[in-house]
Amino acid sequence: GSIQKLHSRDTDLVTLCEDKVLRILANKDAIFNADGNPQLVANENVLGQTIPFAGDYGISTNPASFAVENYRVYFSDKQRGAVLRLSKDGLTPISEYGMSDYFKDNFKLSDRAIGSYDSKNNEYNLTLLQPGTRVGGVTVSFDEKVNGWVSFKSFIPETSLSSSNTYYSFKAAELYEHDLGLYNTFYGDPYPSTVTTLLNDVPGSIKTFRTLGYEGSQAQVKEEITDVRTGYYNLQQ
């Protein structure tokens, strides 16, 4: 397929095509010995040997999903319903960390994918936009510390980036700074927060929790309408 994204990494040029990810040696070339082992030698050519990464993945036609953080590269492959991480160990489909079915279903409903890296929270944010709209969609976050997808977020940016350890996003051609203490508020609009726990409900299975903590403002207390003696102190919603 066509080349969708070029990324310079040290002396290599990472080339993301629709259906494949390649590494092109820059300012050097590879000569293979009879035993198959390569030897790097100086070469006058700007681009040298093309070496594909293992795995039948590409970036489809969504180069805006590309984000980089140090030696890690993140991007999505809409054609195969996957989200990828390119690191020192090669290509890894991080969408398989508990979100394989989710991405396969939601990539079909979206026509654009916007990716960015939040250097303050150390998260890769991926926004899937619905066809024909700039506001309809969802943003999900991947955290390297837990090696999994940790949150759905309510902001749907046009584009976003990190600079000087601060995360910014654009909406309606205006620049917004995140993490200023305005919790649950994005682009001037408030949103509710919810927490969903995934617990094994098998009676014969013993549950062990390392940590179960909550930090934030007072949780929502709904109005008690059946029996006011149950201990709820809010008589109104």
Side-chain angles (χ1 to χ4, degrees):
S2 63
I3 295 176
Q4 294 287 314
K5 179 72 177 179
L6 296 175
H7 173 61
S8 177
R9 187 178 63 174
D10 295 332
T11 57
D12 295 332
L13 187 66
V14 178
T15 306
L16 295 100
C17 305
E18 292 184 46
D19 303 310
K20 201 69 176 177
V21 182
L22 312 170
R23 177 168 60 96
I24 302 177
L25 303 181
N27 295 321
K28 61 182 182 294
D29 208 343
I31 295 180
F32 290 88
N33 300 327
D35 57 1
N37 295 323
Q39 278 188 337
L40 296 179
V41 297
N43 192 288
E44 296 180 355
N45 295 329
V46 176
L47 300 178
Q49 181 74 26
T50 300
I51 304 173
F53 288 98
D56 293 326
Y57 294 103
I59 199 172
S60 295
T61 55
N62 294 115
S65 66
F66 178 91
V68 60
E69 190 274 330
N70 289 332
Y71 57 87
R72 291 190 294 264
V73 169
Y74 303 89
F75 60 94
S76 68
D77 187 352
K78 180 179 185 295
Q79 194 70 20
R80 294 156 191 83
V83 183
L84 287 305
R85 175 185 61 206
L86 176 60
S87 187
K88 294 180 178 180
D89 56 352
L91 278 174
T92 302
I94 58 176
S95 54
E96 294 185 359
Y97 297 154
M99 295 281 281
S100 176
D101 290 339
Y102 175 84
F103 282 111
K104 288 180 180 178
D105 294 339
N106 283 270
F107 271 125
K108 296 178 182 178
L109 305 176
S110 63
D111 63 346
R112 293 176 57 205
I114 301 175
S116 62
Y117 191 84
D118 185 349
S119 60
K120 184 172 183 179
N121 296 307
N122 297 317
E123 294 176 347
Y124 168 62
N125 294 328
L126 179 64
T127 301
L128 303 181
L129 292 176
Q130 296 176 357
T133 177
R134 285 188 172 185
V135 295
V138 64
T139 299
V140 290
S141 299
F142 180 84
D143 192 335
E144 286 287 347
K145 294 189 296 293
V146 300
N147 204 33
W149 300 89
V150 294
S151 180
F152 291 90
K153 295 181 176 177
S154 300
F155 65 92
I156 309 296
E158 295 172 350
T159 186
S160 48
L161 70 150
S162 289
S163 177
S164 300
N165 204 33
T166 302
Y167 188 66
Y168 301 94
S169 69
F170 288 87
K171 191 70 171 180
E174 292 188 352
L175 179 64
Y176 291 83
E177 181 180 349
H178 291 240
D179 301 310
L180 291 177
L182 300 176
Y183 300 110
N184 294 33
T185 301
F186 299 105
Y187 313 129
D189 297 324
Y191 295 88
S193 286
T194 60
V195 177
T196 302
T197 57
L198 301 178
L199 305 178
N200 190 339
D201 58 358
V202 178
S205 176
I206 299 176
K207 287 79 174 175
T208 302
F209 303 96
R210 294 182 180 178
T211 304
L212 194 63
Y214 172 82
E215 179 181 354
S217 59
Q218 173 185 317
Q220 179 185 15
V221 179
K222 296 182 179 180
E223 178 186 1
E224 178 57 64
I225 59 176
T226 57
D227 188 353
V228 297
R229 297 171 298 174
T230 57
Y232 290 101
Y233 53 87
N234 280 20
L235 297 181
Q236 297 179 353
Q237 187 75 7

